[in-house]
Amino acid sequence: MATFRRGTGGFKTARHAVVAIGAVAALSLLTACGDGSGSGSGDSNGGGNSSRQTGSDSSDPPTDSGTRTASPTTGNHASASGGSPAAGTRCKASELRGHVGRNDPGAGQENFPLVVTNFSGRTCTLYGYPGAAFVDGSGKQLGPDPVRVSGGPARITLAPGKSAWAGLSFGNPEISGARTATPAGIKITPPDERESVKVDWTAGEVPVSEAAKITVFRAGDGG
């Protein structure tokens, strides 16, 4: 709305008329902005696809402050910035190679970085949580989907040859007493994608009667 200022001349009567007109215009504007019921419009922020084997860019995960994850590296890292990437820039599973990094155990937890590297010829972006699932030799999922650990996502820009990682943690089954299985591999699904990167799992038994925990993607390789 325009702001009316008092001039330097003596025209108080005209000024009062302008103020009255401005008040009527303001009332009309407020009426037009409503939805007819006196309440504002709903939140239009869309979340990521949280279905099984689909990564998600959701930024409001469950909180679990007791989970340790591997520390980020300062080595082979990509750049990070705020904001969710456009669909055309997202990294596809076909553009990524994956591997499971070194375990960093502690406090009864096993902590592995799940690393993806861009081997395509273009720069692509990741934002949010990957999908992750242990699988047997036939590709059948073992155990429930991981629970997301609280943490704000950042847009990771992966130039060709650069890497990003997400932390996967689960309780040591010898301590927790959970039922276990030995996976043949683990599937890592980029955020908002349905195709997965299949990675061999060589770290032995994992709990399948309780959920692991997963963090958002971060720049680097988690080493």
Side-chain angles (χ1 to χ4, degrees):
M1 182 183 297
T3 302
F4 295 95
R5 302 181 180 276
R6 181 182 299 184
T8 56
F11 44 88
K12 293 183 179 180
T13 301
R15 182 174 64 83
H16 291 323
V18 171
V19 171
I21 293 171
V24 171
L27 179 59
S28 299
L29 180 60
L30 291 173
T31 302
C33 291
D35 62 1
S37 63
S39 61
S41 61
D43 185 1
S44 61
N45 181 38
N49 189 326
S50 60
S51 63
R52 176 169 293 198
Q53 289 304 304
T54 303
S56 172
D57 66 358
S58 171
S59 59
D60 188 21
T63 299
D64 188 341
S65 58
T67 301
R68 293 180 68 256
T69 57
S71 300
T73 181
T74 56
N76 176 29
H77 63 82
S79 61
S81 62
S84 180
T89 68
R90 288 200 304 260
C91 296
K92 310 293 185 182
S94 59
E95 299 174 311
L96 303 173
R97 289 196 176 107
H99 73 272
V100 178
R102 179 180 58 86
N103 185 17
D104 182 22
Q109 294 282 313
E110 310 300 322
N111 306 298
F112 294 88
L114 304 181
V115 184
V116 294
T117 301
N118 179 8
F119 75 97
S120 74
R122 74 174 186 119
T123 295
C124 61
T125 53
L126 297 169
Y127 180 87
Y129 295 84
F134 293 114
V135 294
D136 63 16
S138 65
K140 179 181 177 181
Q141 180 167 334
L142 302 173
D145 293 339
V147 175
R148 294 171 185 168
V149 177
S150 179
R155 184 168 62 115
I156 309 300
T157 301
L158 287 185
K162 297 301 182 180
S163 300
W165 68 283
L168 180 75
S169 299
F170 52 84
N172 185 319
E174 293 183 1
I175 297 174
S176 68
R179 182 167 54 87
T180 64
T182 301
I186 184 169
K187 289 183 176 180
I188 306 169
T189 309
D192 286 324
E193 298 297 320
R194 292 190 175 276
E195 298 300 320
S196 301
V197 180
K198 174 74 178 297
V199 179
D200 290 339
W201 180 262
T202 59
E205 293 183 332
V206 301
V208 293
S209 58
E210 58 185 36
K213 298 178 178 65
I214 193 81
T215 72
V216 296
F217 268 121
R218 307 172 189 178
D221 59 13

